[in-house]
Amino acid sequence: EVQLVETGGSLVHPGGSLRLSCAASGFAVRGSYMTWVRQAPGKGLEWVSTIDSSDVTYYAGSVRGRFTISRDNSKGTVSLQMNSLRDEDTAMYYCVRDDYGSGSDWGQGTLVTVSS
Amino acid sequence: DIQMTQSPSSVSASVGDTVTITCRPSQGISNWLAWYQQKPGKAPKLLIYATSNLHSGVPSRFSGSGSGTYFSLTISGLQPEDSATYYCQQTNSFPWTFGQGTKVEI
């Protein structure tokens, strides 16, 4: 059974940094497309970043240059390093496994709150 | 960026009704379209991938169709548990983008 568990969300001040981690089980992170999607309170879904099967990374314009996605194949984890955080980065962050061009499996989410 | 225009933004229907939600990309996306269901306080769940393929375990009352710049999700024989918000997503090209969501009330 595929399982994704996100950790690392917390309250952080504007300009601060945070690292989210996603522990995957039930499949090999190596060679998988893995994505982070976020959802601001009361709002819709927003794609944030994807790392593809060749470790090429992609970012939404709103986070490019501030966020970095990476994976550790030996640990079966995917991470999202978030720097220079802004109020508008406040959201639930979901780790997603992509298959057949879609988010086939989602974690339960980890909440990031950016506030002074 | 490809904009995804989803409609309606909300719909109210009765048990047994058929509901259709549409998604119009601002440019062609081949068949790289997925549909998700999200209930309050929960993570989204995949319903349909590649336009018309039912994800494992999803009831057959859900169906998807379309191509190019017009796609739709149909729920036939609406059930109380289908009350949720539904999102479309294109994965034809980065940045991947979602529709704004359709709230289905029963």
mmCIF file with all atom_site columns, all heavy atoms in Angstrom, chain B residues 76-94:
data_model
loop_
_atom_site.group_PDB
_atom_site.id
_atom_site.type_symbol
_atom_site.label_atom_id
_atom_site.label_alt_id
_atom_site.label_comp_id
_atom_site.label_asym_id
_atom_site.label_entity_id
_atom_site.label_seq_id
_atom_site.pdbx_PDB_ins_code
_atom_site.Cartn_x
_atom_site.Cartn_y
_atom_site.Cartn_z
_atom_site.occupancy
_atom_site.B_iso_or_equiv
_atom_site.pdbx_formal_charge
_atom_site.auth_seq_id
_atom_site.auth_comp_id
_atom_site.auth_asym_id
_atom_site.auth_atom_id
_atom_site.pdbx_PDB_model_num
ATOM 1   N N   . SER B 1 76 ? -23.117 10.273 -12.629 1.00 0.00 ? 76 SER B N   1
ATOM 2   C CA  . SER B 1 76 ? -24.444 9.757  -12.946 1.00 0.00 ? 76 SER B CA  1
ATOM 3   C C   . SER B 1 76 ? -25.010 9.035  -11.736 1.00 0.00 ? 76 SER B C   1
ATOM 4   O O   . SER B 1 76 ? -24.350 8.173  -11.156 1.00 0.00 ? 76 SER B O   1
ATOM 5   C CB  . SER B 1 76 ? -24.364 8.781  -14.124 1.00 0.00 ? 76 SER B CB  1
ATOM 6   O OG  . SER B 1 76 ? -23.785 9.411  -15.248 1.00 0.00 ? 76 SER B OG  1
ATOM 7   N N   . GLY B 1 77 ? -26.235 9.397  -11.370 1.00 0.00 ? 77 GLY B N   1
ATOM 8   C CA  . GLY B 1 77 ? -26.820 8.758  -10.198 1.00 0.00 ? 77 GLY B CA  1
ATOM 9   C C   . GLY B 1 77 ? -26.141 9.243  -8.926  1.00 0.00 ? 77 GLY B C   1
ATOM 10  O O   . GLY B 1 77 ? -25.564 8.469  -8.177  1.00 0.00 ? 77 GLY B O   1
ATOM 11  N N   . LEU B 1 78 ? -26.231 10.541 -8.701  1.00 0.00 ? 78 LEU B N   1
ATOM 12  C CA  . LEU B 1 78 ? -25.549 11.192 -7.578  1.00 0.00 ? 78 LEU B CA  1
ATOM 13  C C   . LEU B 1 78 ? -25.908 10.519 -6.252  1.00 0.00 ? 78 LEU B C   1
ATOM 14  O O   . LEU B 1 78 ? -27.074 10.178 -5.997  1.00 0.00 ? 78 LEU B O   1
ATOM 15  C CB  . LEU B 1 78 ? -25.966 12.658 -7.560  1.00 0.00 ? 78 LEU B CB  1
ATOM 16  C CG  . LEU B 1 78 ? -25.014 13.705 -7.016  1.00 0.00 ? 78 LEU B CG  1
ATOM 17  C CD1 . LEU B 1 78 ? -23.684 13.693 -7.754  1.00 0.00 ? 78 LEU B CD1 1
ATOM 18  C CD2 . LEU B 1 78 ? -25.665 15.069 -7.092  1.00 0.00 ? 78 LEU B CD2 1
ATOM 19  N N   . GLN B 1 79 ? -24.875 10.325 -5.422  1.00 0.00 ? 79 GLN B N   1
ATOM 20  C CA  . GLN B 1 79 ? -25.050 9.735  -4.095  1.00 0.00 ? 79 GLN B CA  1
ATOM 21  C C   . GLN B 1 79 ? -24.702 10.772 -3.016  1.00 0.00 ? 79 GLN B C   1
ATOM 22  O O   . GLN B 1 79 ? -23.916 11.695 -3.270  1.00 0.00 ? 79 GLN B O   1
ATOM 23  C CB  . GLN B 1 79 ? -24.175 8.505  -3.946  1.00 0.00 ? 79 GLN B CB  1
ATOM 24  C CG  . GLN B 1 79 ? -24.536 7.376  -4.896  1.00 0.00 ? 79 GLN B CG  1
ATOM 25  C CD  . GLN B 1 79 ? -25.947 6.866  -4.671  1.00 0.00 ? 79 GLN B CD  1
ATOM 26  O OE1 . GLN B 1 79 ? -26.293 6.453  -3.571  1.00 0.00 ? 79 GLN B OE1 1
ATOM 27  N NE2 . GLN B 1 79 ? -26.760 6.914  -5.731  1.00 0.00 ? 79 GLN B NE2 1
ATOM 28  N N   . PRO B 1 80 ? -25.226 10.612 -1.822  1.00 0.00 ? 80 PRO B N   1
ATOM 29  C CA  . PRO B 1 80 ? -24.935 11.590 -0.751  1.00 0.00 ? 80 PRO B CA  1
ATOM 30  C C   . PRO B 1 80 ? -23.439 11.770 -0.507  1.00 0.00 ? 80 PRO B C   1
ATOM 31  O O   . PRO B 1 80 ? -22.985 12.890 -0.229  1.00 0.00 ? 80 PRO B O   1
ATOM 32  C CB  . PRO B 1 80 ? -25.635 10.978 0.471   1.00 0.00 ? 80 PRO B CB  1
ATOM 33  C CG  . PRO B 1 80 ? -26.733 10.147 -0.088  1.00 0.00 ? 80 PRO B CG  1
ATOM 34  C CD  . PRO B 1 80 ? -26.204 9.592  -1.374  1.00 0.00 ? 80 PRO B CD  1
ATOM 35  N N   . GLU B 1 81 ? -22.675 10.702 -0.649  1.00 0.00 ? 81 GLU B N   1
ATOM 36  C CA  . GLU B 1 81 ? -21.227 10.778 -0.398  1.00 0.00 ? 81 GLU B CA  1
ATOM 37  C C   . GLU B 1 81 ? -20.463 11.508 -1.499  1.00 0.00 ? 81 GLU B C   1
ATOM 38  O O   . GLU B 1 81 ? -19.253 11.740 -1.362  1.00 0.00 ? 81 GLU B O   1
ATOM 39  C CB  . GLU B 1 81 ? -20.639 9.372  -0.196  1.00 0.00 ? 81 GLU B CB  1
ATOM 40  C CG  . GLU B 1 81 ? -20.792 8.452  -1.375  1.00 0.00 ? 81 GLU B CG  1
ATOM 41  C CD  . GLU B 1 81 ? -22.029 7.567  -1.269  1.00 0.00 ? 81 GLU B CD  1
ATOM 42  O OE1 . GLU B 1 81 ? -23.033 8.027  -0.656  1.00 0.00 ? 81 GLU B OE1 1
ATOM 43  O OE2 . GLU B 1 81 ? -21.981 6.433  -1.804  1.00 0.00 ? 81 GLU B OE2 1
ATOM 44  N N   . ASP B 1 82 ? -21.154 11.903 -2.554  1.00 0.00 ? 82 ASP B N   1
ATOM 45  C CA  . ASP B 1 82 ? -20.495 12.646 -3.636  1.00 0.00 ? 82 ASP B CA  1
ATOM 46  C C   . ASP B 1 82 ? -20.447 14.145 -3.348  1.00 0.00 ? 82 ASP B C   1
ATOM 47  O O   . ASP B 1 82 ? -19.862 14.907 -4.133  1.00 0.00 ? 82 ASP B O   1
ATOM 48  C CB  . ASP B 1 82 ? -21.224 12.415 -4.965  1.00 0.00 ? 82 ASP B CB  1
ATOM 49  C CG  . ASP B 1 82 ? -21.223 10.946 -5.379  1.00 0.00 ? 82 ASP B CG  1
ATOM 50  O OD1 . ASP B 1 82 ? -20.295 10.215 -4.959  1.00 0.00 ? 82 ASP B OD1 1
ATOM 51  O OD2 . ASP B 1 82 ? -22.133 10.538 -6.114  1.00 0.00 ? 82 ASP B OD2 1
ATOM 52  N N   . SER B 1 83 ? -21.020 14.555 -2.252  1.00 0.00 ? 83 SER B N   1
ATOM 53  C CA  . SER B 1 83 ? -20.946 15.957 -1.843  1.00 0.00 ? 83 SER B CA  1
ATOM 54  C C   . SER B 1 83 ? -19.490 16.304 -1.545  1.00 0.00 ? 83 SER B C   1
ATOM 55  O O   . SER B 1 83 ? -18.872 15.744 -0.627  1.00 0.00 ? 83 SER B O   1
ATOM 56  C CB  . SER B 1 83 ? -21.806 16.185 -0.595  1.00 0.00 ? 83 SER B CB  1
ATOM 57  O OG  . SER B 1 83 ? -21.750 17.534 -0.193  1.00 0.00 ? 83 SER B OG  1
ATOM 58  N N   . ALA B 1 84 ? -18.927 17.204 -2.337  1.00 0.00 ? 84 ALA B N   1
ATOM 59  C CA  . ALA B 1 84 ? -17.493 17.486 -2.270  1.00 0.00 ? 84 ALA B CA  1
ATOM 60  C C   . ALA B 1 84 ? -17.173 18.614 -3.247  1.00 0.00 ? 84 ALA B C   1
ATOM 61  O O   . ALA B 1 84 ? -18.044 19.100 -3.966  1.00 0.00 ? 84 ALA B O   1
ATOM 62  C CB  . ALA B 1 84 ? -16.684 16.244 -2.637  1.00 0.00 ? 84 ALA B CB  1
ATOM 63  N N   . THR B 1 85 ? -15.890 18.993 -3.265  1.00 0.00 ? 85 THR B N   1
ATOM 64  C CA  . THR B 1 85 ? -15.404 19.924 -4.273  1.00 0.00 ? 85 THR B CA  1
ATOM 65  C C   . THR B 1 85 ? -14.560 19.143 -5.273  1.00 0.00 ? 85 THR B C   1
ATOM 66  O O   . THR B 1 85 ? -13.748 18.290 -4.882  1.00 0.00 ? 85 THR B O   1
ATOM 67  C CB  . THR B 1 85 ? -14.584 21.050 -3.639  1.00 0.00 ? 85 THR B CB  1
ATOM 68  O OG1 . THR B 1 85 ? -15.410 21.772 -2.716  1.00 0.00 ? 85 THR B OG1 1
ATOM 69  C CG2 . THR B 1 85 ? -14.079 22.020 -4.703  1.00 0.00 ? 85 THR B CG2 1
ATOM 70  N N   . TYR B 1 86 ? -14.762 19.430 -6.541  1.00 0.00 ? 86 TYR B N   1
ATOM 71  C CA  . TYR B 1 86 ? -14.086 18.710 -7.611  1.00 0.00 ? 86 TYR B CA  1
ATOM 72  C C   . TYR B 1 86 ? -13.161 19.665 -8.371  1.00 0.00 ? 86 TYR B C   1
ATOM 73  O O   . TYR B 1 86 ? -13.521 20.813 -8.651  1.00 0.00 ? 86 TYR B O   1
ATOM 74  C CB  . TYR B 1 86 ? -15.118 18.098 -8.563  1.00 0.00 ? 86 TYR B CB  1
ATOM 75  C CG  . TYR B 1 86 ? -15.946 17.033 -7.881  1.00 0.00 ? 86 TYR B CG  1
ATOM 76  C CD1 . TYR B 1 86 ? -17.045 17.375 -7.101  1.00 0.00 ? 86 TYR B CD1 1
ATOM 77  C CD2 . TYR B 1 86 ? -15.605 15.687 -7.991  1.00 0.00 ? 86 TYR B CD2 1
ATOM 78  C CE1 . TYR B 1 86 ? -17.782 16.407 -6.440  1.00 0.00 ? 86 TYR B CE1 1
ATOM 79  C CE2 . TYR B 1 86 ? -16.333 14.710 -7.346  1.00 0.00 ? 86 TYR B CE2 1
ATOM 80  C CZ  . TYR B 1 86 ? -17.420 15.075 -6.569  1.00 0.00 ? 86 TYR B CZ  1
ATOM 81  O OH  . TYR B 1 86 ? -18.149 14.108 -5.907  1.00 0.00 ? 86 TYR B OH  1
ATOM 82  N N   . TYR B 1 87 ? -11.971 19.164 -8.673  1.00 0.00 ? 87 TYR B N   1
ATOM 83  C CA  . TYR B 1 87 ? -10.968 19.962 -9.386  1.00 0.00 ? 87 TYR B CA  1
ATOM 84  C C   . TYR B 1 87 ? -10.470 19.226 -10.621 1.00 0.00 ? 87 TYR B C   1
ATOM 85  O O   . TYR B 1 87 ? -10.261 18.009 -10.589 1.00 0.00 ? 87 TYR B O   1
ATOM 86  C CB  . TYR B 1 87 ? -9.741  20.228 -8.502  1.00 0.00 ? 87 TYR B CB  1
ATOM 87  C CG  . TYR B 1 87 ? -9.993  21.067 -7.279  1.00 0.00 ? 87 TYR B CG  1
ATOM 88  C CD1 . TYR B 1 87 ? -10.314 20.476 -6.069  1.00 0.00 ? 87 TYR B CD1 1
ATOM 89  C CD2 . TYR B 1 87 ? -9.882  22.454 -7.329  1.00 0.00 ? 87 TYR B CD2 1
ATOM 90  C CE1 . TYR B 1 87 ? -10.531 21.239 -4.927  1.00 0.00 ? 87 TYR B CE1 1
ATOM 91  C CE2 . TYR B 1 87 ? -10.092 23.230 -6.192  1.00 0.00 ? 87 TYR B CE2 1
ATOM 92  C CZ  . TYR B 1 87 ? -10.418 22.609 -5.006  1.00 0.00 ? 87 TYR B CZ  1
ATOM 93  O OH  . TYR B 1 87 ? -10.633 23.381 -3.879  1.00 0.00 ? 87 TYR B OH  1
ATOM 94  N N   . CYS B 1 88 ? -10.252 19.973 -11.694 1.00 0.00 ? 88 CYS B N   1
ATOM 95  C CA  . CYS B 1 88 ? -9.543  19.425 -12.847 1.00 0.00 ? 88 CYS B CA  1
ATOM 96  C C   . CYS B 1 88 ? -8.090  19.897 -12.787 1.00 0.00 ? 88 CYS B C   1
ATOM 97  O O   . CYS B 1 88 ? -7.782  20.901 -12.111 1.00 0.00 ? 88 CYS B O   1
ATOM 98  C CB  . CYS B 1 88 ? -10.190 19.846 -14.156 1.00 0.00 ? 88 CYS B CB  1
ATOM 99  S SG  . CYS B 1 88 ? -10.210 21.625 -14.479 1.00 0.00 ? 88 CYS B SG  1
ATOM 100 N N   . GLN B 1 89 ? -7.201  19.175 -13.442 1.00 0.00 ? 89 GLN B N   1
ATOM 101 C CA  . GLN B 1 89 ? -5.781  19.536 -13.487 1.00 0.00 ? 89 GLN B CA  1
ATOM 102 C C   . GLN B 1 89 ? -5.209  19.119 -14.836 1.00 0.00 ? 89 GLN B C   1
ATOM 103 O O   . GLN B 1 89 ? -5.466  18.003 -15.296 1.00 0.00 ? 89 GLN B O   1
ATOM 104 C CB  . GLN B 1 89 ? -4.998  18.833 -12.377 1.00 0.00 ? 89 GLN B CB  1
ATOM 105 C CG  . GLN B 1 89 ? -3.507  19.185 -12.364 1.00 0.00 ? 89 GLN B CG  1
ATOM 106 C CD  . GLN B 1 89 ? -2.668  18.174 -11.595 1.00 0.00 ? 89 GLN B CD  1
ATOM 107 O OE1 . GLN B 1 89 ? -3.035  17.008 -11.455 1.00 0.00 ? 89 GLN B OE1 1
ATOM 108 N NE2 . GLN B 1 89 ? -1.522  18.618 -11.079 1.00 0.00 ? 89 GLN B NE2 1
ATOM 109 N N   . GLN B 1 90 ? -4.417  20.018 -15.425 1.00 0.00 ? 90 GLN B N   1
ATOM 110 C CA  . GLN B 1 90 ? -3.713  19.648 -16.651 1.00 0.00 ? 90 GLN B CA  1
ATOM 111 C C   . GLN B 1 90 ? -2.268  19.329 -16.314 1.00 0.00 ? 90 GLN B C   1
ATOM 112 O O   . GLN B 1 90 ? -1.628  20.029 -15.517 1.00 0.00 ? 90 GLN B O   1
ATOM 113 C CB  . GLN B 1 90 ? -3.816  20.747 -17.716 1.00 0.00 ? 90 GLN B CB  1
ATOM 114 C CG  . GLN B 1 90 ? -3.067  22.040 -17.421 1.00 0.00 ? 90 GLN B CG  1
ATOM 115 C CD  . GLN B 1 90 ? -1.575  21.995 -17.764 1.00 0.00 ? 90 GLN B CD  1
ATOM 116 O OE1 . GLN B 1 90 ? -1.126  21.138 -18.534 1.00 0.00 ? 90 GLN B OE1 1
ATOM 117 N NE2 . GLN B 1 90 ? -0.803  22.910 -17.186 1.00 0.00 ? 90 GLN B NE2 1
ATOM 118 N N   . THR B 1 91 ? -1.757  18.264 -16.908 1.00 0.00 ? 91 THR B N   1
ATOM 119 C CA  . THR B 1 91 ? -0.348  17.895 -16.750 1.00 0.00 ? 91 THR B CA  1
ATOM 120 C C   . THR B 1 91 ? 0.313   17.743 -18.116 1.00 0.00 ? 91 THR B C   1
ATOM 121 O O   . THR B 1 91 ? 1.243   16.966 -18.305 1.00 0.00 ? 91 THR B O   1
ATOM 122 C CB  . THR B 1 91 ? -0.204  16.598 -15.932 1.00 0.00 ? 91 THR B CB  1
ATOM 123 O OG1 . THR B 1 91 ? -0.952  15.562 -16.583 1.00 0.00 ? 91 THR B OG1 1
ATOM 124 C CG2 . THR B 1 91 ? -0.700  16.778 -14.522 1.00 0.00 ? 91 THR B CG2 1
ATOM 125 N N   . ASN B 1 92 ? -0.202  18.520 -19.072 1.00 0.00 ? 92 ASN B N   1
ATOM 126 C CA  . ASN B 1 92 ? 0.388   18.490 -20.415 1.00 0.00 ? 92 ASN B CA  1
ATOM 127 C C   . ASN B 1 92 ? 1.718   19.222 -20.451 1.00 0.00 ? 92 ASN B C   1
ATOM 128 O O   . ASN B 1 92 ? 2.653   18.817 -21.160 1.00 0.00 ? 92 ASN B O   1
ATOM 129 C CB  . ASN B 1 92 ? -0.580  19.140 -21.401 1.00 0.00 ? 92 ASN B CB  1
ATOM 130 C CG  . ASN B 1 92 ? -0.046  19.147 -22.823 1.00 0.00 ? 92 ASN B CG  1
ATOM 131 O OD1 . ASN B 1 92 ? 0.015   18.114 -23.487 1.00 0.00 ? 92 ASN B OD1 1
ATOM 132 N ND2 . ASN B 1 92 ? 0.359   20.319 -23.297 1.00 0.00 ? 92 ASN B ND2 1
ATOM 133 N N   . SER B 1 93 ? 1.801   20.326 -19.704 1.00 0.00 ? 93 SER B N   1
ATOM 134 C CA  . SER B 1 93 ? 3.028   21.109 -19.699 1.00 0.00 ? 93 SER B CA  1
ATOM 135 C C   . SER B 1 93 ? 3.161   21.846 -18.375 1.00 0.00 ? 93 SER B C   1
ATOM 136 O O   . SER B 1 93 ? 2.156   22.198 -17.739 1.00 0.00 ? 93 SER B O   1
ATOM 137 C CB  . SER B 1 93 ? 3.041   22.100 -20.867 1.00 0.00 ? 93 SER B CB  1
ATOM 138 O OG  . SER B 1 93 ? 1.967   23.003 -20.768 1.00 0.00 ? 93 SER B OG  1
ATOM 139 N N   . PHE B 1 94 ? 4.421   22.076 -17.980 1.00 0.00 ? 94 PHE B N   1
ATOM 140 C CA  . PHE B 1 94 ? 4.667   22.814 -16.752 1.00 0.00 ? 94 PHE B CA  1
ATOM 141 C C   . PHE B 1 94 ? 4.535   24.313 -17.025 1.00 0.00 ? 94 PHE B C   1
ATOM 142 O O   . PHE B 1 94 ? 4.908   24.779 -18.104 1.00 0.00 ? 94 PHE B O   1
ATOM 143 C CB  . PHE B 1 94 ? 6.064   22.496 -16.219 1.00 0.00 ? 94 PHE B CB  1
ATOM 144 C CG  . PHE B 1 94 ? 6.184   21.120 -15.645 1.00 0.00 ? 94 PHE B CG  1
ATOM 145 C CD1 . PHE B 1 94 ? 6.774   20.099 -16.376 1.00 0.00 ? 94 PHE B CD1 1
ATOM 146 C CD2 . PHE B 1 94 ? 5.684   20.829 -14.378 1.00 0.00 ? 94 PHE B CD2 1
ATOM 147 C CE1 . PHE B 1 94 ? 6.871   18.824 -15.860 1.00 0.00 ? 94 PHE B CE1 1
ATOM 148 C CE2 . PHE B 1 94 ? 5.779   19.560 -13.844 1.00 0.00 ? 94 PHE B CE2 1
ATOM 149 C CZ  . PHE B 1 94 ? 6.376   18.546 -14.588 1.00 0.00 ? 94 PHE B CZ  1
#
